[in-house]
Amino acid sequence: MAPNLPLLVLLLLVLPAAGDAAAAAAFNVTEILARYPAFKLFNLLLSKTRVAREINSRNSVTVLVPDNSAVDWLLRRSNRMARASLSELMSVHVVLDYIDAAKLAALPQRGQPAVVVTTLFQTTGTARNRTGFLNVTAAPRGGAIFISAAPGALVSATLKRAVTARPYNLSVLQISNFVVPPGVVTRPRPPTPPMARMRQMSIAPSSAPAALPASEGDAGEAPDAAEAPAPSSHGHVAQATSRWWIGAAVGMALACMIGYL
């Protein structure tokens, strides 16, 4: 019986696509890191910033993972970090190459040029001044040191241990702390919202003067124990002055809001 040619052609077209899908889904970094409680916070940030999706779509990557204490320290120091900055920082810790313990052991000795690796941050199009690259050098007592290849980089991290590996697709390495390229975390904070500006403005003076600190001689008397002054024409002047100050304060607040918008 002659083979069905249209069916064979269809199988040839479908099978490579299925193979590519299987290769793309070779691992799930979120599920792998979930087995290690020490990386719970970093794993959470990978999911929230959607960097985990990018990792899973790659065929060969190395993830540099700091533990929970390092993540907590960063979040406490940068409690108002913009979401974009956090995504960039997380992508700096994804190397677009497979690096395991054997490759780290073969690093050039000190005094020789560092090995330069490309990170996921480089593919975003927002990396500047080599912030998308890392220099990897051998540590004096073994292991490795990771530091941004950008000029002026000060914050580096050392290798603590190789966590897990799936040759030659995924390698997970624990590092001492975050590698922070210049300008990624130290971005200007967003402007203060208009309502916050209004709260920071001084309160308009009212017709009643503020209580002054009591002297030693009248410390036992309450500020409101003095007899209230009899109403006079000066009261109308005070009320008019108070209304003028309140109107001026409202005008300033509206000007701030208009300028902000």
Side-chain angles (χ1 to χ4, degrees):
M1 183 177 178
N4 191 333
L5 291 180
L7 180 60
L8 290 177
V9 172
L10 180 62
L11 289 174
L12 290 175
L13 292 175
V14 171
L15 287 177
D20 293 342
F27 58 83
N28 187 315
V29 67
T30 303
E31 294 180 356
I32 292 174
L33 290 180
R35 304 170 188 169
Y36 303 91
F39 307 135
K40 181 178 181 180
L41 293 180
F42 188 86
N43 196 18
L44 179 63
L45 292 181
L46 284 180
S47 299
K48 293 296 184 182
T49 58
R50 299 184 179 180
V51 175
R53 293 184 182 181
E54 292 291 331
I55 296 174
N56 294 337
S57 68
R58 301 283 172 169
N59 292 326
S60 183
V61 293
T62 299
V63 185
L64 307 177
V65 185
D67 62 14
N68 293 333
S69 61
V71 177
D72 181 70
W73 179 89
L74 176 75
L75 296 180
R76 288 179 182 274
R77 292 291 298 271
S78 306
N79 57 352
R80 292 182 60 185
M81 187 189 304
R83 184 183 181 90
S85 297
L86 184 58
S87 298
E88 292 175 354
L89 181 63
M90 297 299 292
S91 63
V92 169
H93 293 75
V94 181
V95 178
L96 302 182
D97 192 10
Y98 177 81
I99 303 175
D100 57 8
K103 283 190 175 182
L104 293 176
L107 285 173
Q109 298 301 314
R110 297 188 65 188
Q112 299 182 12
V115 175
V116 181
V117 296
T118 306
T119 71
L120 183 62
F121 183 35
Q122 182 63 25
T123 67
T124 62
T126 59
R128 297 290 184 271
N129 296 329
R130 297 181 62 82
T131 53
F133 300 94
L134 295 180
N135 290 336
V136 187
T137 58
R141 299 182 180 179
I145 300 174
F146 300 87
I147 187 170
S148 174
L154 298 176
V155 182
S156 61
T158 58
L159 175 71
K160 299 192 73 173
R161 65 184 177 109
V163 179
T164 186
R166 292 192 177 184
Y168 291 90
N169 300 120
L170 174 68
S171 175
V172 179
L173 304 176
Q174 181 182 356
I175 55 177
S176 58
N177 51 267
F178 280 92
V179 179
V180 185
V184 173
V185 177
T186 57
R187 286 186 169 191
R189 293 183 176 181
T192 307
M195 294 304 297
R197 290 186 182 180
M198 293 176 65
R199 294 191 190 99
Q200 293 174 1
M201 293 175 62
S202 59
I203 302 175
S206 62
S207 57
L212 298 176
S215 61
E216 295 181 1
D218 54 7
E221 296 181 0
D224 57 351
E227 183 179 355
S232 65
S233 60
H234 295 288
H236 298 287
V237 176
Q239 291 180 3
T241 305
S242 175
R243 293 195 187 103
W244 185 90
W245 277 106
I246 294 174
V250 173
M252 292 174 62
L254 291 175
C256 290
M257 293 178 67
I258 294 172
Y260 178 82
L261 296 174

